[in-house]
Amino acid sequence: MPADPLEGISLVGNPIDLEEVKKYIKANNTFWCVTEIEPCDPYEFRRVDGSCNNLKNPARGASHTPFVRVLPPVYSEGFEPRKTKFGDDLPPARKLRTSLLSDGRVPGQTITQLAINVLAFMSADVVSQQDTVKYVTWKPYCCTPKGLTDRDCVPNKVPDDDPVFRFSDIRCLNMTRPESFQSVGCVPNNTVPDRIMSSTPLLDLSVVYGDSIKILNKKGRLFQGGLLKYEISNGKIWPPSTKSKSNVCYLNDKVRETRCHATPNDGINTLVGINLVAIWYWRLHNVIARNLAAINPCWSDDLLFNITRDICISTLLQIYYYELLPVLFGRENLIKDGLISENPGFRDLYDENVMPQISLEFPYVLRWVHLIQNGVMKLYDKDGYYLKQYPVVNLTLRTGFFDVDDNIDYITQGTIKQGSANFDYIIDPDIGSIGLGSQQRALDISTNDLAKSRYFGFQPYVKYREYCFGTPIKSYADLKGIIDDERIEILREFYKSVEDIELLPGIYLEKPIKGGFVPPTFYCLVVDQFRRNMVSDRHWYERPNRPNAFTLDQLLEIRKYTVARLLCDVGDSITRVQPFAFLKTNKDFNQVRDCKDIPNINYWAWRDSNCQQNNDWDNYSKH
């Protein structure tokens, strides 16, 4: 008889008894505060809910668990934003943002829009949406008189001489405090705020599979041949959809656009980049499942599903670590810092004493990527001809747009032809003043990023520089060589002491790392998290002794997989692509090739000798 599920406090991971559970039930906050975990089996596949990844602390790795901090928090009294060294308030966020970053649109010549889309998807895999939903949907009124009486409201003032909004009556940008274990009632408010999230903290494709086995079974699995449910519309394969009028795609054009994904994770329907990559991986799951079923007809639906999911997660990790990060951070830097290996064989860096969590700093510094986010999505046909462009902000919560007029074909082609925004100190005007389309009258995403960090309690920028590089920064003179002189002058205008500079403003203005395109402190904190992700994941794909580990031959097949191959396998109308699809092509480098020349996985590496082989490759179906 199986053991009963274990229930524990989500914040600390400790088991609790039935009487304590009843208290949370009475307070109606078990969703956030209590984690229910089935007994762990050390030999099972990776769980959808993320639990039991660490057998010493089964709750860690699950959704609704806390972040860790790289550095301890600093707050003023009552956990309000810290004051400056001289006791003043920190500078107004909107004024600071418009002084540090100009508004404009400069096309980049190095990386493609595909890199930005995959970065957005990666972030969505580990960070939940409730903070954004809170100020967009739950409490959109913080700039009205009602907001004055709501402690959750912390809007940003727009100065009268604002370079954009001076020509309007907009003098306030809506914002709310982050959700925490304290704000939802799990623990008392007189304790240090611990930010809460809904996603599983490891990179495990939760955007596709969700974080609940019950919801996955209801919305995702077909329970046939290891497949996910799917639909065919206009000759294309899609995740299952809902026609409910109350769906999350409420910005669809009501006349023509009806598609909205009814999948285990509603986050698939949010930003255009997240949506695209999720569709591709939903399709890829079924491509792999059909290939494995053809080779191993004796495998059960459960076995096919679990091995397919494992391969999907592994291919994406291979793309993140060995393809995307090297483009941005520099391959030699990542090898030197031990994040990737030159040896294609196994690696086992697992440490059960490192919990599968993400640092609070990691998703925050990822907001730097907004500087290279292009505000327009350019659409191309399969022959490379430019058709039109569309504002990215107008595609949020609008899945139905993909399923009309072959738009998904043209967007997919555009992702490998269009460049990102340039690596500079300029932010796209739509990101800096519109943000989320029609959901708010005005929204500067980066102003909110700057302001919200104050409620996270981050230490000053110079403390993170010291953590990363060991050298204390005591004066503005110490920033010479790290930040350009003219930008140091801007920082002096806002911060009397160098020790007051906030984390993201410092990162915004740093010169890029040698051998890469990103700021050094950004590099440090992101690599720190990617290392934690690797060493804390008991199911890490490069491990030779994990549960249901790959053979060496199988791992070498995973090594072949690239984002270019992903597009060839499941990208609409993609028959030709540059082999390094995160990089733009030119006449001397990275020339476009036929998909037949892009390496693919040989699924025969997963042949089970216990199964009778009655089929060959001619029986395979791409979809």
Side-chain angles (χ1 to χ4, degrees), residues 103-120:
D103 289 60
R105 191 166 285 161
V106 181
Q109 301 303 310
T110 306
I111 68 171
T112 59
Q113 185 65 28
L114 178 63
I116 306 303
N117 290 337
V118 172
L119 280 167

Side-chain angles (χ1 to χ4, degrees), residues 72-107:
V74 286
Y75 287 102
S76 293
E77 185 178 352
F79 305 110
E80 292 296 319
R82 68 176 173 90
K83 301 289 186 181
T84 68
K85 187 177 179 179
F86 299 99
D88 301 319
D89 289 335
L90 290 166
R94 172 69 183 180
K95 182 74 173 178
L96 178 64
R97 201 287 286 166
T98 56
S99 299
L100 297 177
L101 304 175
S102 302
D103 289 60
R105 191 166 285 161
V106 181

